[in-house]
Amino acid sequence: MVFSQTLTNWYSVNKRDLPWRNTVDPYRIWLSEIILQQTQIKQGLPYYQAFVNAYPNVKSLADASQDDVLKLWQGLGYYSRARNLHETAKHVAYNLNGSFPDSYKELLKLKGVGDYTASAIASICYNEKKAVLDGNVYRVLSRYFGVDEPINTSKGFKVFKVLAQEQLDCNNPANYNQAIMDFGATQCTPKKVACKNCPLMEGCVAYRKDLVEALPIKLKVKKPKKKYYNFLVYLSADNKTLLEQRQGKGIWEGLYQFPLLETEKPITHADLKKQIANNQKQAFDLRLFNTKDIVHKLSHQHLYTKFWIIDVQELSENSILFSELKSYPVPVLIEKFIEAFNFS
């Protein structure tokens, strides 16, 4: 087919030199794909290298503690990926004798592995005839074939999955899949598209109908919820503070944070002081680190955050030294505060 042949020809000249391109080891392909979910390569590459250096095989990753895995993941976001990564590593190492499943169907059974990741591993490692479908592939297919079905719907997924599978080069699915993903990432980009230099220009419906900027179509999602987070940063006279580990499902599960008070609206200094006094016997001083909210934007909610400094004489035996703070896995929001605040 002209479409697939053009892409693989382009790829042979323009493919990026990436470390996971030089292997068919399913551990490293799986690791790269999990890291790159919802993450650009320039951000994910240092994390991939750090994980490979720290955990060169699935057994070493399985044997690590969750805290160590989350600490190495810190700053990459979507921490459920890191927890699923660790759980899957333990399953493969301990229940599957260290060997990854060798088919799309079986790969789908792994925690944190969906259609895209299973297709990528199956095609790259085992040459299975499975087409990948990620954001880059959606964009290329939508523009070239002029498909206006919204990509973030169940119907859209089915339409594009069929189309993707029809275009697959069955003689070399691994090469084709990597070609179309690279093409979407570097040539058929979301903005400022270099259509005049595109080898697919002549057959591209979006180019012919001036729809390049309009495709692919994505339905608007709900407006993010607004939440107010008040972190209580206790400081004792002997250089100690308090951290707590987040429990239950939700954002930052398993990560550490300063004690948190969540409110429906901004809280005043007087109201917070009254709340703390009701739960604390010893004297304390309360001061605000940031007078203006730090807005931490997540996909489904925006966190309007304040860090309140609480000076006390002493803390409970569960407290930790200031010097130990950086050894704990924390959300990037708290990591930035720790770097900015002078713990001394």
Side-chain angles (χ1 to χ4, degrees):
M1 292 186 291
V2 174
F3 179 78
S4 60
Q5 188 62 56
T6 302
L7 282 176
T8 52
N9 288 345
W10 174 92
Y11 184 63
S12 67
V13 176
N14 297 284
K15 69 177 178 181
R16 293 174 289 182
D17 183 19
L18 301 168
W20 49 85
R21 292 270 169 81
N22 303 317
T23 181
V24 291
D25 176 1
Y27 169 68
R28 298 201 174 196
I29 300 299
W30 164 73
L31 180 62
S32 70
E33 294 298 346
I34 299 299
I35 287 174
L36 294 176
Q37 287 173 2
Q38 298 170 301
T39 301
Q40 293 185 345
I41 283 180
K42 63 182 179 181
Q43 183 189 8
L45 182 55
Y47 284 88
Y48 171 81
Q49 293 169 328
F51 267 87
V52 167
N53 290 336
Y55 311 117
N57 52 57
V58 72
K59 179 64 163 56
S60 58
L61 178 55
D63 290 342
S65 70
Q66 178 176 277
D67 278 2
D68 286 342
V69 173
L70 288 173
K71 182 63 180 177
L72 199 56
W73 193 274
Q74 186 170 297
L76 198 53
Y78 298 99
Y79 288 91
S80 61
R81 291 182 295 165
R83 294 189 296 272
N84 289 337
L85 184 86
H86 193 218
E87 288 301 312
T88 294
K90 290 191 287 186
H91 175 63
V92 171
Y94 306 147
N95 300 329
L96 302 180
N97 297 317
S99 297
F100 275 82
D102 60 1
S103 71
Y104 168 84
K105 184 179 179 180
E106 293 302 313
L107 285 162
L108 273 179
K109 297 177 181 179
L110 299 178
K111 199 168 186 178
V113 172
D115 170 76
Y116 163 73
T117 305
S119 298
I121 299 171
S123 63
I124 295 170
C125 301
Y126 309 118
N127 217 35
E128 188 172 349
K129 299 175 181 63
K130 283 291 181 180
V132 295
L133 190 56
D134 71 349
N136 291 317
V137 179
Y138 272 119
R139 187 164 54 254
V140 174
L141 294 177
S142 176
R143 287 173 174 171
Y144 185 81
F145 293 99
V147 183
D148 58 5
E149 191 68 44
I151 64 174
N152 57 339
T153 64
S154 56
K155 182 181 178 182
F157 170 77
K158 293 174 183 177
V159 168
F160 279 95
K161 188 65 180 178
V162 169
L163 181 59
Q165 195 65 33
E166 289 173 348
Q167 307 312 311
L168 183 68
D169 180 354
C170 292
N171 293 319
N172 196 342
N175 194 56
Y176 169 81
N177 277 337
Q178 292 178 97
I180 192 170
M181 287 190 288
D182 251 24
F183 190 82
T186 63
Q187 176 69 43
C188 192
T189 52
K191 303 292 183 183
K192 298 180 180 179
V193 194
C195 291
K196 296 294 184 181
N197 301 321
C198 178
L200 292 173
M201 181 181 67
E202 290 185 5
C204 180
V205 173
Y207 178 75
R208 191 166 62 247
K209 295 184 177 181
D210 196 24
L211 293 172
V212 172
E213 295 294 333
L215 295 175
I217 291 175
K218 194 172 185 179
L219 296 182
K220 290 183 178 180
V221 296
K222 292 180 180 179
K223 189 177 180 180
K225 293 181 180 179
K226 183 183 289 189
K227 292 188 175 183
Y228 294 92
Y229 274 21
N230 298 277
F231 287 108
L232 309 181
V233 185
Y234 284 86
L235 305 178
S236 70
D238 56 351
N239 297 329
K240 291 184 177 180
T241 190
L242 295 176
L243 283 184
E244 59 186 19
Q245 189 173 31
R246 288 183 68 94
Q247 304 296 327
K249 302 300 180 183
I251 64 167
W252 304 335
E253 179 189 341
L255 299 181
Y256 290 80
Q257 64 182 18
F258 297 105
L260 171 65
L261 175 65
E262 185 177 341
T263 56
E264 294 181 356
K265 59 183 181 180
I267 193 169
T268 65
H269 183 280
D271 286 343
L272 180 58
K273 190 170 185 177
K274 188 182 298 183
Q275 285 199 38
I276 296 171
N278 290 336
N279 296 289
Q280 183 156 309
K281 295 178 181 178
Q282 64 173 315
F284 65 92
D285 288 323
L286 177 66
R287 51 197 168 96
L288 184 57
F289 173 73
N290 55 302
T291 54
K292 184 178 180 181
D293 285 335
I294 298 170
V295 184
H296 189 65
K297 295 182 178 181
L298 302 172
S299 58
H300 59 296
Q301 57 190 0
H302 291 173
L303 309 180
Y304 288 74
T305 308
K306 282 188 171 71
F307 290 90
W308 298 87
I309 313 303
I310 306 170
D311 294 297
V312 296
Q313 188 60 34
E314 60 182 8
L315 290 168
S316 68
E317 57 187 34
N318 294 325
S319 58
I320 64 168
L321 291 168
F322 295 166
S323 59
E324 298 173 323
L325 274 173
K326 292 188 177 181
S327 66
Y328 287 82
V330 297
V332 67
L333 173 65
I334 292 178
E335 179 188 19
K336 289 180 178 179
F337 166 76
I338 292 171
E339 291 174 352
F341 187 75
N342 183 23
F343 282 94
S344 60

